[in-house]
């Protein structure tokens, strides 16, 4: 009603548009369906009664008002909500409910009880109103919010599409290629579907885009659309008529004569709906006339003055002398010649004599003497029209210059259609000038500053022009536009390719066949592609290849048109044999010959020479375009003469070239019709493709696996079993993309086997039983067992539904006569891996890149999987544990499952508590049955999870496990007295040892102080001195005692006990130190190793640095006594840095070798933590640093990290410790017979330690000065009684290896210090002179000249009778060594400093040298390093060689980790 009132006021003349059908149509579409049907009948009746006139808007407004008042509760537009799309898809197609605090915003007045005789009262809407004023805003917000939710998974470009290219619910977008359009639409559709919003009614001007969507997702009028037909297909898009096939907007003009009044002029002007102003040159005269009439006249229906009649007739197209030519109600307009200079006619081509416009011209009246030619837009889903500026062809118009075209291509923002159209306008005026601009544009794209002048163009050949440009090319410049880094050139290549594509497309009707433009252009590009200048060769090859691709596309169209014309002619000839072939058929044949000749010359002139170019970029361009030619025009290219280039390029040295080759082959093998042409190629190059699955570039390997899958599926013979076996191991590759591709290959083959061999069995056992049978067999037979988690992850994307079929897996496991024992073990392992993958949602270690973050969708799927896992296994897990409780391997795997349960579900209902009791009972039974450490540790990890206080059932599980521990403790205490007295027999010893072992395993995960096992364990350890007890019993006692102290420290920190309790705990620590020191001297290696490990953890936890931040706990600080430190240092020297030689492991299998080596690394890390965290003085690190060179392969990473962290804590003391370690080695060498070889080893260690100081010399400046001063003091120390003068003088040679790290300004200071310390008589000694020269910066060559004399007198100490060498150091020597300087005695490391995050876990990686099977010049570049290491290889190597290969790091958990 408001619109009707505003229309009648006359202040808004544009509202008269509502009197037309187009003006009222958008309003009718918003009405409920019932009202739409009623309006159609009322409108038809009005037309019949008024001679066919369309109902005015006043009639429509009265109709709506009457219908609204007739039945407001039933038909009111404000309350009707029954049409499709009117309800909320989130609420099961019911009206969207409104929140209570929003209802006040939707109030309205209406009669009480819908009775018009009663009072008007205030109502509030309870549901959302569709059609209300804010409804569009709400709908738009919901649409944008929905696509934003899925942006992380489906891409940010989907948000850009919805936010920038949607008008309410209509999306309008143009994209360069069909693939991009399909990909964007499918991802946007998937993103919106997650919010229950269906994106459909797709329309596109490309058949491939329409075929990508099912018919129900297409628009109603184009479900069966065929763009290749001749019948035009129209689609209304926001009021405009869009002809889909030609991708043009058309305008239907009514031919009815309007009265010569102001109303008639307005109706005529507004009858042409043109919101974009595409036909403004036509309608501008009518609008100008309407403006004049609005000023001069006020009445709407009086006749206009006679002087205005002529203008009205011209505008309406009815004047005999009108410059306009109306074609009423037409859709297309025939092509007309373009005004301006015509091209030279050729007798062979009729199309060359006329200039045709875009395939879809707009049938609007065009002024004579002007050319209005809207161009076809790029392929995609475009509904936009692109028109180039009108050029009048006046003299002096230069058109688009080379610089303008280059700027447009560089910017990437200009519409290439307009750029090409403007250049074509200039070319049509003067083809020589236009071609010259195009040539200069190409030269500029190459990065050349030279210009081709008109004189050069007229008088010089292409070779001479290129030679001249080469001379002007900037020498030494390696960058040109195609390879220049930076954001300004980011889209240059794409813009250049788009320019070429649009150029060919715009010339496909005439200029492509004139044998001038493209022939000249190809001749120039062919010459430039042979140039020695890289920029010319690269750019011209790219342009030539893209031009040929465009020509190929045109040739395919021409061939299609030729076939259609030939069929029509054949059909007519059957009816009348006298009919002659139409001229169009001959013209198409000539055009096809011209295009074939152009393609052949380009292929021979450019491709054949450049596909093997030195530049990999050029080769990649050639192969990429060759793939398009083969798939786009198989009639001309799909033959052995062209396929051979793809086969040869499979062996290219550069991975980008190989990748393009594989992608091209994928396009060919996807087409079923091409398989016959590829048989010879497949048989010849299949072996090469199979080798490429181990390509060093994982992207190439991924695509080649996809290609082999296509070959296996599409070809008749496929791949043999042995050939498939070369792909299967890739499921264990570390690269997840490659592993997923191999998993897809394996999954498809499994499905193929099931379809052929297991079809009958499906009906009886289920479809997934066969899948698991084959998968288990594959897993058992492969060489990479114990990597089931990687196999499951490889299959997760394609076989996720099968791997989540817990029902089938548990059914197979619980049935009595099903799988064999080996098959059951493999199936359990795969099932546990699938449970872990589903519950965690992350790939395994080694296949993730970056931080693990799950999006909202993945989190939702993860929560659903956890609920499904819990719901299914909560009942069956006790049964599985009961069946496999005696099998160590299987029960350890099954005990991992509850960690992935939603344990809150146990407390959701009472029946489920029964299953919890059964689970706890089974765990307790497993503990009683097994004595293996692996099983006990699995149970110990599960118990704290079930006893967590965050669950309401924790009291039940606490009670059950407490009863278990009570029984174990009672068993231990029962036999304790007999064990201590020596009266226990072997059976009693075994029972007590087994009970204590189980308790010690649980003590690692739980606090067992209330069972008071510390004193009994100490008694056992002390009694071992008198009588030999079982080693395993002693190890368990050590663990229990140590864990008691560790848990006690945790309890003390939390509760803050009194002083008496702290003193008692400190006393227990001292007792443990004493007992542990005794165990370190035992001969039993198992007890000795365990004692060292637990002592390191206890010493670290009760060190002064650990309580420095808590003054109340200072009483607990208990540093280790000197004797214990001496024993620990001796242990490091005797049992860690010895026995790593090959002969020590002779006769030991590989797994035992790895286990021993892992334990040594763990022990060394535990010892290094003591002085890094301040538990020991930093001087204790000398026992580690002096082995840095000798054991660098075995422990180099640990010692290097220790050096780095110690330097962060106290750089000066760290440097002095390095010097002290060298002094100790030198003193040991002097104490024995001096040896030049040993001195060389010490100097090698010094050089390696010097390199650890890094390159930032200013940061280590003070440290190096302190090191040199301590070294000089040691070299010039006073001799002891019986020693020669200055026995340590040769130490200066060792010290000189650190001089190159000293800054120049510090060398003068050190030189002065040297002169102060060195006696004047010793300044001429060789060692002193060498050190002086190193400080002065003399060259190494000069040092080598004096090398002989120096070596002869470098060690001045006389031979001393060697004393027996003992590695163990006494307590006195450990504390106050004669070689430790005064600074070390008083130094202490501040434990409050930030300590390094250095744990007692290490990582051991077996590095296996790869045998090189190809020379450096070979074209095969593959790498098998992406495969996992074989844990159980078929051919076992010698243990000695395993140690020689310097193992890395393997992750181990600390034996005393809390």
């Amino acid at each position: 009603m408001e619109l009707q009132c505003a229309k009648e006021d006359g202040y808004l003349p544009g509202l008269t548009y509502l009197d037309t059908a187009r003006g009222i149509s958008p309003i009718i579409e918003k009405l409920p369906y019932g009202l739409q049907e009623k309006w159609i009948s009322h409108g038809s009746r009005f037309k019949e009664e008024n001679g066919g006139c369309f109902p005015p808007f006043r009639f429509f407004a009265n109709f709506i008002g009457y219908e609204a008042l007739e039945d407001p509760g039933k038909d009111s537009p404000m309350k009707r909500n029954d049409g499709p799309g009117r309800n909320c898809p989130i609420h099961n197609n019911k009206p969207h409910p409104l929140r209570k605090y929003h209802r006040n915003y939707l109030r309205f007045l209406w009669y009480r009880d819908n009775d018009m005789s009663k009072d008007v009262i205030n109502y509030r809407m309870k549901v959302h109103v569709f059609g209300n004023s804010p409804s569009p805003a709400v709908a738009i917000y919901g649409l944008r919010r929905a696509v934003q939710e899925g942006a992380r998974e489906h891409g940010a470009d989907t948000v850009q599409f919805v936010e920038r290219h949607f008008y309410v619910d209509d999306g309008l977008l143009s994209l360069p290629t069909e693939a991009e359009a399909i990909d964007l639409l499918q991802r946007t559709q998937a993103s919106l579907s997650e919010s229950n919003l269906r994106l459909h009614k797709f329309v596109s001007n490309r058949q491939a885009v329409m075929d990508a969507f099912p018919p129900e997702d297409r628009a109603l009028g184009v479900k069966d659309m065929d763009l290749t037909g001749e019948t035009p297909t129209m689609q209304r898009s926001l009021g405009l008529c869009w002809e889909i096939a030609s991708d043009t907007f058309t305008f239907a003009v009514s031919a009815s004569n309007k009265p010569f009044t102001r109303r008639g002029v307005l109706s005529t002007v507004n009858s042409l709906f043109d919101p974009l102003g595409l036909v403004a040159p036509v309608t501008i005269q009518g609008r100008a006339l309407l403006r004049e009439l609005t000023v001069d006249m006020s009445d709407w229906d009086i006749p206009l003055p006679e002087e205005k009649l002529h203008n009205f007739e011209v505008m309406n197209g009815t004047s005999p002398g009108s410059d306009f030519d109306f074609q009423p109600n037409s859709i297309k307009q025939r092509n007309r010649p373009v005004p301006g200079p015509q091209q030279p006619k050729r007798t062979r081509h009729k199309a060359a004599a006329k200039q045709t416009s875009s395939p879809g011209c707009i049938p609007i009246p065009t002024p004579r003497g002007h050319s209005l030619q809207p161009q076809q837009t790029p392929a995609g889903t475009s509904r936009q029209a692109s028109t180039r500026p009108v050029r009048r062809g006046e003299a002096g118009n230069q058109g688009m210059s080379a610089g303008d075209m280059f700027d447009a291509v560089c910017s990437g923002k200009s519409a290439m259609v307009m750029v090409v159209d403007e250049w074509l306008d200039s070319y049509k005026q003067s083809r020589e000038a236009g071609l010259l601009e195009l040539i200069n544009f190409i030269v500029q794209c190459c990065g050349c500053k030279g210009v081709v002048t008109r004189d050069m163009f007229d008088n010089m050949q292409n070779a001479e022009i290129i030679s001249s440009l080469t001379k002007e090319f900037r020498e030494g410049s390696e960058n040109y536009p195609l390879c220049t880094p930076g954001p300004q050139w980011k889209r240059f290549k794409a813009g250049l390719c788009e320019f070429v594509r649009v150029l060919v497309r715009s010339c496909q009707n005439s200029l492509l066949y004139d044998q001038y433009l493209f022939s000249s252009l190809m001749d120039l590009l062919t010459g430039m592609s042979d140039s020695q200048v890289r920029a010319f060769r690269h750019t011209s090859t790219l342009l030539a290849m893209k031009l040929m691709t465009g020509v190929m596309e045109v040739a395919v169209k021409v061939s299609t048109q030729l076939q259609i014309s030939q069929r029509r002619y054949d059909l007519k000839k059957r009816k009348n044999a006298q009919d002659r072939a139409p001229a169009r058929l001959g013209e198409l044949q000539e055009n096809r010959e011209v295009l074939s000749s152009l393609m052949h010359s380009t292929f021979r002139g450019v491709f054949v020479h450049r596909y093997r170019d030195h530049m990999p970029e050029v080769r990649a361009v050639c192969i990429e375009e060759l793939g398009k030619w083969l798939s786009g025009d198989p009639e001309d290219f799909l033959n052995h003469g062209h396929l051979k280039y793809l086969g040869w390029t499979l062996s290219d040295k550069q991975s980008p070239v190989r990748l393009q080759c594989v992608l091209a082959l994928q396009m060919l093998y996807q087409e079923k019709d091409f398989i016959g042409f590829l048989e010879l190629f497949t048989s010849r190059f299949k072996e090469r493709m199979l080798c490429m699955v181990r390509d060093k570039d994982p992207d190439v390997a991924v695509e080649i696996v996809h290609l082999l899958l296509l070959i296996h599926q599409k070809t008749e013979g496929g791949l043999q079993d042995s050939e498939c076996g070369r792909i299967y191991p890739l499921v264990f590759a570390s690269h997840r993309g490659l592993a997923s591709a191999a998993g897809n290959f394996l999954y498809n083959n499994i499905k193929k086997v099931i379809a052929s061999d297991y079809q009958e069995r499906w009906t009886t056992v289920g479809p997934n039983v066969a899948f698991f049978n084959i998968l288990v067999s594959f897993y058992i037979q492969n060489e990479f067992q114990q990597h089931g988690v990687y196999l499951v992850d490889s299959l997760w994307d394609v076989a996720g539904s099968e791997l989540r079929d817990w029902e089938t897996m548990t059914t197979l496991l619980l049935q009595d006569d099903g799988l064999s024992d080996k098959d059951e073990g493999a199936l359990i392992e795969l099932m546990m891996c699938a449970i872990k993958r589903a519950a965690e949602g992350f790939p395994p270690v080694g296949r993730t890149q970056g931080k693990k973050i799950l999006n909202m969708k993945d989190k939702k799927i993860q929560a659903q999987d956890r609920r499904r896992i819990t719901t299914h296994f909560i009942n069956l897990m006790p049964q599985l544990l009961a069946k496999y409780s005696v099998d160590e391997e299987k029960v350890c795997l099954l005990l991992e499952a509850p960690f992935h349960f939603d344990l809150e579900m146990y407390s959701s209902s009472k029946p489920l508590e029964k299953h919890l009791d059964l689970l706890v009972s089974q765990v307790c039974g497993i503990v009683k049955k097994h004595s293996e450490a692996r099983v006990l540790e699995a149970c110990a990890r599960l118990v704290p999870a079930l006893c967590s206080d965050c669950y309401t059932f924790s009291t039940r599980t606490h009670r059950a496990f407490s009863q278990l521990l009570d029984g174990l403790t009672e068993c231990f205490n029962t036999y304790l007295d007999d064990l201590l007295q020596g009266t226990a027999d072997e059976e009693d010893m075994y029972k007590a040892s087994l009970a204590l072992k189980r308790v010690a395993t649980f003590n690692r995960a739980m606090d067992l102080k209330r069972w008071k096992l510390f004193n009994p364990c100490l008694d056992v350890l002390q009694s071992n001195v008198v009588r030999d007890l079982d080693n395993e019993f002693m190890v368990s006692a050590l663990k229990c005692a140590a864990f008691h102290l560790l848990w006690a420290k945790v309890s003390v920190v939390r509760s803050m006990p009194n002083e008496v309790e702290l003193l008692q705990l400190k006393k227990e620590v001292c007792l443990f130190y004493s007992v542990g020191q005794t165990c370190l001297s035992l001969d039993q290696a198992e007890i000795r190793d365990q004692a060292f490990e637990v002592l390191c953890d206890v010493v670290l936890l009760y060190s002064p640095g650990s309580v420095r931040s808590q003054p109340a706990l200072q009483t607990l600080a208990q540093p280790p006594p000197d004797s214990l430190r001496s024993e620990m240092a001796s242990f490091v020297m005797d049992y860690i840095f010895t026995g790593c030689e090959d002969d020590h492991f002779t006769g030991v299998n590989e797994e035992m070798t790895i286990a021993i080596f892992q334990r040594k690394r763990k022990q060394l890390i535990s010892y290094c933590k003591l002085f890094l965290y301040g538990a020991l003085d930093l001087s204790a690190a000398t026992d580690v640093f002096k082995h840095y060179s000798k054991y660098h392969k075995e422990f180099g990473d640990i010692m290097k990290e220790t050096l780095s962290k110690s330097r962060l804590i106290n750089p000066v003391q760290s440097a002095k410790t390095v010097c002290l370690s060298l002094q100790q080695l030198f003193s040991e060498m002097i104490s024995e017979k001096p040896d030049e070889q040993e001195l060389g080893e010490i100097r090698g260690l010094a050089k390696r330690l010097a390199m650890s100081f890094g390159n930032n010399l200013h940061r280590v400046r003070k440290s190096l000065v302190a090191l040199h001063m301590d070294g000089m003091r040691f070299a010039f120390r006073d001799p002891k009684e019986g020693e020669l003068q200055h026995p340590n003088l040769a130490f200066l040679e060792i010290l000189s290896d650190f001089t190159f790290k000293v800054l120049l300004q510090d060398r003068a200071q050190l030189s002065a210090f040297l002169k102060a310390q060195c006696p004047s008589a010793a300044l001429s000694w060789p060692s002193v002179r060498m050190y002086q020269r190193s400080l002065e910066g003399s060259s190494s060559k000069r040092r080598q000249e004096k090398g002989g004399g120096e070596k002869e007198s470098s060690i001045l100490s006389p031979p001393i009778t060697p004393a027996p060498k003992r590695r163990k150091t006494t307590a006195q020597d450990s504390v106050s060594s004669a070689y430790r300087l005064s600074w070390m005695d008083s130094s202490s490391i501040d434990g409050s400093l930030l300590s390094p995050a250095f744990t007692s876990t290490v990582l051991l990686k077996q590095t296996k040298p790869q045998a090189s099977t190809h020379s450096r010049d070979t074209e095969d570049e593959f790498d098998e390093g992406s495969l996992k290491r074989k844990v159980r290889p078929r051919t076992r190597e010698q243990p000695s060689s395993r140690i020689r290969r310097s193992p890395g790091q393997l992750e181990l958990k600390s034996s005393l980790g809390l």
Side-chain angles (χ1 to χ4, degrees), residues 81 83 85-97 128 130 195-197:
N81 204 15
R86 306 294 181 182
N87 294 329
C88 178
I90 303 176
H91 297 87
N92 298 323
N93 279 332
K94 295 180 180 179
H96 185 88
H128 185 73
F130 283 84
S195 302
N196 293 330
L197 294 176

Side-chain angles (χ1 to χ4, degrees), residues 706-773:
H706 291 320
L707 174 60
L708 290 172
L709 177 59
L710 288 173
I711 294 175
H712 189 52
Q713 292 176 339
K714 302 290 186 179
T715 58
E716 183 177 355
L719 300 178
Q720 303 298 325
D721 293 340
S722 59
E723 295 170 341
C724 294
R726 299 167 66 174
I727 305 174
Y728 294 150
L730 297 177
V731 297
F732 301 99
S734 59
H735 188 273
R736 191 171 190 277
L738 179 57
S740 299
N744 186 24
F745 186 90
L746 174 63
Y747 176 76
N748 281 274
N749 281 357
I750 292 176
K751 286 298 184 180
K752 185 177 181 180
V753 173
I754 292 174
S756 59
D757 299 338
Y758 287 81
Q759 191 66 34
E760 298 179 358
R761 191 177 177 184
W762 276 24
T763 57
T764 57
V765 297
N768 290 336
V769 173
F771 173 81
F772 287 115
N773 284 331

Side-chain angles (χ1 to χ4, degrees), residues 319-333:
S319 174
S322 175
D323 291 337
F324 298 91
D325 183 19
F326 264 119
Q327 294 184 1
N329 296 327
S330 64
I331 296 179
K332 286 191 175 182
Q333 181 181 3

Side-chain angles (χ1 to χ4, degrees), residues 43-342:
S44 300
R45 191 180 306 113
F46 180 87
K47 285 186 175 182
E48 294 175 359
E49 296 174 356
N50 295 274
C53 295
F54 189 85
F57 186 76
R58 182 187 298 108
F59 180 83
F60 174 76
N62 294 336
F63 164 78
I64 294 298
Y66 176 82
E67 291 294 329
L69 293 175
E70 184 178 11
D71 190 357
K74 185 176 180 181
D75 294 326
S76 174
M78 294 182 62
K79 302 185 71 172
R80 285 292 299 270
N81 204 15
D82 56 352
R86 306 294 181 182
N87 294 329
C88 178
I90 303 176
H91 297 87
N92 298 323
N93 279 332
K94 295 180 180 179
H96 185 88
L98 278 175
R99 297 179 180 179
K100 291 184 178 181
Y101 53 85
H102 285 164
R103 294 178 182 175
N104 287 329
Y105 296 103
L106 293 177
R107 292 180 294 180
F108 63 96
L109 300 175
W110 195 247
Y111 300 99
R112 186 187 300 274
D113 300 330
N114 202 19
D115 188 353
M116 300 182 64
S117 62
K118 295 184 179 181
D119 297 337
V120 177
I121 62 175
N122 199 349
Y123 282 91
R124 295 192 308 174
M125 296 298 300
K126 298 172 63 176
V127 297
H128 185 73
V129 181
F130 283 84
N132 196 30
S133 297
S135 294
V138 174
I140 293 172
Y141 172 80
L143 180 66
R144 293 183 176 180
R145 181 63 181 269
V147 76
Q148 289 171 2
E149 293 289 339
R152 180 175 295 180
E153 179 182 1
H154 301 284
D157 54 344
T158 58
V159 180
Q160 180 77 6
F161 173 42
V162 172
E163 291 185 351
R164 301 301 300 271
H165 300 281
F166 261 73
Y167 179 77
V168 188
D169 56 350
D170 288 337
L172 298 154
L173 184 65
S174 177
L175 290 171
T177 62
E178 298 169 352
E180 293 180 22
I182 295 171
D183 178 63
L184 178 60
L185 291 177
Q186 288 179 345
R187 286 187 288 109
T188 307
Q189 189 180 38
S191 178
L192 294 177
S193 65
E194 295 177 1
S195 302
N196 293 330
L197 294 176
R198 181 190 174 198
L199 186 64
H200 62 302
K201 296 184 180 180
F202 295 108
V203 181
S204 174
N205 65 312
R206 288 302 178 96
Q207 188 68 37
V209 179
M210 299 298 295
D211 293 340
F213 298 94
E216 58 270 16
D217 284 349
R218 305 175 193 170
L220 296 177
V222 293
K223 287 188 175 181
D224 301 322
M225 180 185 67
D226 184 12
L227 294 178
T228 61
E230 295 184 355
T231 303
T233 305
M234 299 297 297
Q235 179 73 15
R236 293 186 60 85
S237 175
L238 296 179
L240 295 179
C241 294
W242 179 34
E243 184 179 342
I244 303 174
S246 62
D247 193 21
T248 56
F249 287 134
T250 63
F251 298 86
V253 182
S254 176
S256 60
N257 294 326
K258 302 293 182 179
F260 184 51
T261 61
R262 183 182 172 191
R263 188 183 304 277
V265 174
L266 178 63
S267 177
T268 302
V269 171
N270 291 337
S271 63
L272 193 61
F273 181 64
D274 180 31
L276 300 178
L278 300 179
V279 290
V282 179
T283 59
I284 190 64
Q285 297 186 20
R287 297 187 183 277
L289 177 61
L290 183 62
R291 183 178 60 183
E292 297 176 4
L293 296 176
T294 303
V295 176
D296 298 338
M297 304 179 62
S298 59
D299 196 283
W300 285 94
D301 298 313
I302 64 174
L304 298 179
E306 290 295 333
E307 60 269 17
K308 305 294 184 181
L309 178 60
H310 176 72
N311 295 337
F312 177 72
E313 291 176 347
V314 170
M315 180 197 69
N316 205 18
T318 57
S319 174
S322 175
D323 291 337
F324 298 91
D325 183 19
F326 264 119
Q327 294 184 1
N329 296 327
S330 64
I331 296 179
K332 286 191 175 182
Q333 181 181 3
R334 293 188 177 182
N335 298 327
R336 292 177 298 181
V338 176
Q342 298 295 321

Side-chain angles (χ1 to χ4, degrees), residues 732 777-788 822 826 829 1429-1432 1434:
F732 301 99
S777 299
F778 167 80
Y779 183 58
I780 293 174
Q781 295 172 8
N782 75 82
E783 302 176 1
F784 300 93
Q785 292 190 34
Q786 299 183 359
H787 289 294
K822 199 171 185 180
E829 182 176 358
R1429 175 182 61 84
K1430 299 181 182 179
V1431 178
R1432 296 179 182 176
R1434 294 180 181 268

